Amino acid sequence: MGERYTVISDMKLEYEGIVNVNELFRVTDKWFREKGYDKYEKFNVEQHFKDSSEIEMEWEPWKKVTDYTIGFMKIKFLFSDIKDVTVVKDGVKVKMQEAKIQINFESYLGTDWEHKWDKHYIAAFIRTIFDKFFYRKYLEKYMGIVHDDTYHLYTMVQSYLNVVRP
């Protein structure tokens, strides 16, 4: 890949309370599909202890912005002290989980993601000059798109968890 520009380096969301973990994953996955992202699950580890469990997961969704640029994110989920609880919702008993949740969001913009300009060192040099001086305004526009998508995902998860920040 050509250059990788950091758009958002470390945005965290913390929550402690009752949540349906599977529903949170389903809603987040649906958001990615609606926004045109493909998703790669880098790892998914679930550990069970005597009276609780823990889930650690990392997703790397990406989206082709143009033929030359690609936007991608790193979403790290950490669910700790997960305990199953039964909640009455609209007169119906629903199985949910009580957990501590930490979600980290990072996003990047990459150029030359198909490696068309990396085949020869002169072409790579020309690409670098082109990116720095002629294509910079477009790169800033595409970085704004990736930033808006990341922030929209953050606020969507925040509203799903009903987190209120001052």
Side-chain angles (χ1 to χ4, degrees):
M1 184 183 298
E3 297 289 324
R4 183 170 102 168
Y5 302 96
T6 302
V7 178
I8 294 177
S9 62
D10 192 26
M11 187 166 41
K12 292 182 182 179
L13 177 62
E14 293 181 349
Y15 173 79
E16 185 173 344
I18 296 175
V19 65
N20 187 334
V21 175
N22 291 331
E23 182 71 15
L24 176 62
F25 289 144
R26 189 189 65 75
V27 167
T28 308
D29 195 49
K30 181 182 176 190
W31 184 91
F32 286 128
R33 280 183 274 129
E34 287 175 354
K35 292 292 185 177
Y37 280 85
D38 290 320
K39 184 182 71 171
Y40 169 67
E41 190 170 303
K42 191 169 183 179
F43 65 85
N44 183 350
V45 178
E46 187 170 341
Q47 296 179 341
H48 295 280
F49 304 109
K50 194 172 193 176
D51 56 348
S52 66
S53 59
E54 184 176 286
I55 298 173
E56 188 174 354
M57 187 180 306
E58 184 174 336
W59 291 349
E60 293 184 351
W62 74 93
K63 174 178 164 178
K64 180 178 156 182
V65 181
T66 67
D67 286 340
Y68 183 67
T69 57
I70 186 170
F72 56 98
M73 300 181 202
K74 287 186 180 182
I75 315 295
K76 296 178 184 177
F77 297 93
L78 177 61
F79 295 83
S80 57
D81 296 331
I82 302 172
K83 298 174 185 159
D84 289 331
V85 294
T86 304
V87 177
V88 177
K89 192 174 185 180
D90 298 328
V92 178
K93 290 184 179 182
V94 179
K95 182 180 173 185
M96 296 182 83
Q97 293 79 31
E98 184 176 349
K100 293 179 185 174
I101 302 171
Q102 181 179 349
I103 306 172
N104 296 333
F105 299 85
E106 296 177 7
S107 59
Y108 306 93
L109 181 76
T111 60
D112 191 27
W113 61 277
E114 292 178 322
H115 305 286
K116 291 181 179 179
W117 290 86
D118 286 341
K119 295 181 175 135
H120 196 270
Y121 68 94
I122 293 175
F125 176 74
I126 291 170
R127 183 207 65 224
T128 303
I129 298 298
F130 180 75
D131 283 351
K132 300 288 183 197
F133 296 107
F134 302 109
Y135 203 60
R136 188 70 189 168
K137 189 181 291 184
Y138 296 106
L139 290 177
E140 289 172 0
K141 174 184 166 186
Y142 302 141
M143 288 168 72
I145 292 171
V146 174
H147 178 274
D148 292 346
D149 282 350
T150 307
Y151 191 73
H152 186 260
L153 175 64
Y154 176 83
T155 56
M156 188 273 305
V157 171
Q158 192 177 34
S159 66
Y160 175 80
L161 294 173
N162 200 16
V163 177
V164 179
R165 296 277 180 214

